Amino acid sequence: MKKLVLFCSVVFLFTFCTNRTSEETTASEAPTQEELLQQGQVNVQTQGMEFLVADTLYSGWNELIYDNQSAEVHFVLMDYYPEGKTVEDTKKEVLPPFDEGMKKIIDGQMDEAVAAFGKLPEWFFSVQYHGGTGLISPGQTAKSTIFLSPGLYVMECYVKAANGEWHTSHGMIKQIIVRDSPTSKIAPSPNTSISISSTEGIQMANPPGLGSQIIEVKFQDQKVYEHFVGHDVNLVRYEDDASLDSLQYWLSWMNPAGLRTPAPEGFTFLGGMNNLGEGGKGYFEVELIPGNYVLISEVPEAEKKGLIAKFQLN
């Protein structure tokens, strides 16, 4: 009996130690945040009105994995700043004119709004846009792969709250340094490709299929539209009774209710590729189910500019 008890004890201790060692090994093998960043994986999260993300990234290809845990629609836009300017300059010189101008638009005072936007500093128009995610609905995750050059960036979301104030003015603006050291990531292999330009609009050779899709977006050209930024690509799933006119109206922040919470009913924003310069290229990943879809730019009167393309998956 004593031998049996001893044997069982030895077996128990061996099993316990083996499991513990296995768990410790697994834990030690889990990559650190710095290792993930070096691999080009950038986790971004919003819970309210903030970007929870590393302050310093590596250059080269980076996949932004944006988890929107808030109750509002958001996006990520990476602004590449001219030398000598920082997010503090934006807070002092850029946000106030935009805040004032938006209030004037809401109040119907268009001449005063134009005057307010006229206070924007000259350097603001030298900011370059290096991509990001498209619009993403609450509870959804957007995945976009972009190429980042070394330098100082500002991550922003300028969707508007229910009171018409910019998300940037509520804290959705964060300075990020991209170091002169590349990630190990390479560009993904796409399932399909989209091209976008100011003259030809959004063109898609073949619609994406069902399931997990990686979509390449090629920017044939770029221009600054009347809303101070260029064209982008947003993928949106919509219900049969949803109004695409209401979506187009909402996608222009220059309208009093444009880009303003709540978003129009019947639409789920699934991400996409934010603004890139002429010749730029980026990728986004999405899980597609049967339904109605539209690719659309966040510009005023997107349809008139050809910056909209519908497709259906069965």
Side-chain angles (χ1 to χ4, degrees), residues 80-141:
Y80 183 72
Y81 267 38
E83 186 174 355
K85 297 301 178 181
T86 71
V87 71
E88 295 306 318
D89 295 295
T90 296
K91 292 177 179 178
K92 292 176 183 177
E93 302 178 39
V94 176
L95 295 189
F98 270 108
D99 288 339
E100 180 185 356
M102 196 65 245
K103 289 178 182 177
K104 298 301 183 183
I105 288 176
I106 292 173
D107 292 339
Q109 301 174 357
M110 294 306 298
D111 290 341
E112 290 83 351
V114 171
F117 294 131
K119 300 175 185 178
L120 288 167
E122 185 176 350
W123 66 262
F124 168 75
F125 299 96
S126 297
V127 171
Q128 299 176 22
Y129 300 106
H130 283 206
T133 75
L135 290 156
I136 189 73
S137 289
Q140 302 285 329
T141 298

Side-chain angles (χ1 to χ4, degrees), residues 168-219:
T168 45
S169 298
H170 284 255
M172 296 199 75
I173 182 169
K174 180 179 175 66
Q175 181 169 294
I176 292 176
I177 301 298
V178 174
R179 66 186 76 179
D180 190 9
S181 181
T183 69
S184 59
K185 189 172 184 62
I186 61 174
S189 298
N191 300 99
T192 190
S193 183
I194 297 167
S195 67
I196 180 170
S197 76
S198 60
T199 57
E200 302 298 325
I202 295 176
Q203 294 189 323
M204 179 173 46
N206 296 298
L210 294 170
S212 181
Q213 300 289 307
I214 296 176
I215 301 173
E216 179 183 52
V217 183
K218 299 177 180 178
F219 285 71

Side-chain angles (χ1 to χ4, degrees), residues 11-277:
V11 170
F12 171 78
L13 288 172
F14 177 78
T15 303
F16 174 78
C17 291
T18 301
N19 290 341
R20 184 185 178 99
T21 301
S22 176
E23 291 172 1
E24 290 174 348
T25 300
T26 301
S28 66
E29 289 177 351
T32 64
Q33 175 180 264
E34 188 64 21
E35 289 171 334
L36 291 175
L37 293 175
Q38 201 284 323
Q39 295 167 18
Q41 178 177 319
V42 182
N43 294 305
V44 187
Q45 188 181 97
T46 291
Q47 297 176 351
M49 287 287 181
E50 75 288 284
F51 287 122
L52 302 175
V53 61
D55 298 323
T56 304
L57 308 180
Y58 289 83
S59 55
W61 288 108
N62 282 271
E63 181 184 27
L64 305 179
I65 304 175
Y66 182 33
D67 181 14
N68 182 10
Q69 294 188 8
S70 77
E72 300 188 34
V73 174
H74 297 296
F75 60 68
V76 169
L77 177 59
M78 297 295 289
D79 307 343
Y80 183 72
Y81 267 38
E83 186 174 355
K85 297 301 178 181
T86 71
V87 71
E88 295 306 318
D89 295 295
T90 296
K91 292 177 179 178
K92 292 176 183 177
E93 302 178 39
V94 176
L95 295 189
F98 270 108
D99 288 339
E100 180 185 356
M102 196 65 245
K103 289 178 182 177
K104 298 301 183 183
I105 288 176
I106 292 173
D107 292 339
Q109 301 174 357
M110 294 306 298
D111 290 341
E112 290 83 351
V114 171
F117 294 131
K119 300 175 185 178
L120 288 167
E122 185 176 350
W123 66 262
F124 168 75
F125 299 96
S126 297
V127 171
Q128 299 176 22
Y129 300 106
H130 283 206
T133 75
L135 290 156
I136 189 73
S137 289
Q140 302 285 329
T141 298
K143 296 182 179 181
S144 292
T145 299
I146 58 177
F147 191 92
L148 297 176
S149 302
L152 187 148
Y153 290 76
V154 169
M155 179 181 287
E156 69 164 319
C157 171
Y158 57 77
V159 176
K160 293 180 286 187
N163 62 1
E165 296 177 352
W166 305 98
H167 286 181
T168 45
S169 298
H170 284 255
M172 296 199 75
I173 182 169
K174 180 179 175 66
Q175 181 169 294
I176 292 176
I177 301 298
V178 174
R179 66 186 76 179
D180 190 9
S181 181
T183 69
S184 59
K185 189 172 184 62
I186 61 174
S189 298
N191 300 99
T192 190
S193 183
I194 297 167
S195 67
I196 180 170
S197 76
S198 60
T199 57
E200 302 298 325
I202 295 176
Q203 294 189 323
M204 179 173 46
N206 296 298
L210 294 170
S212 181
Q213 300 289 307
I214 296 176
I215 301 173
E216 179 183 52
V217 183
K218 299 177 180 178
F219 285 71
Q220 304 297 337
D221 70 5
Q222 186 58 279
K223 63 176 287 185
V224 177
Y225 296 88
E226 57 267 42
H227 66 324
F228 302 115
V229 291
H231 46 244
D232 60 355
V233 173
N234 298 277
L235 178 61
V236 190
R237 187 172 64 245
Y238 62 96
E239 304 299 327
D240 291 338
D241 58 351
S243 168
L244 288 179
D245 288 340
S246 70
L247 175 65
Q248 289 190 69
Y249 178 89
W250 189 80
L251 282 173
S252 172
W253 67 255
M254 298 181 71
N255 295 319
L259 279 189
R260 186 173 175 178
T261 300
E265 294 185 2
F267 298 96
T268 301
F269 296 92
L270 300 173
M273 181 51 55
N274 224 314
N275 295 12
L276 284 173

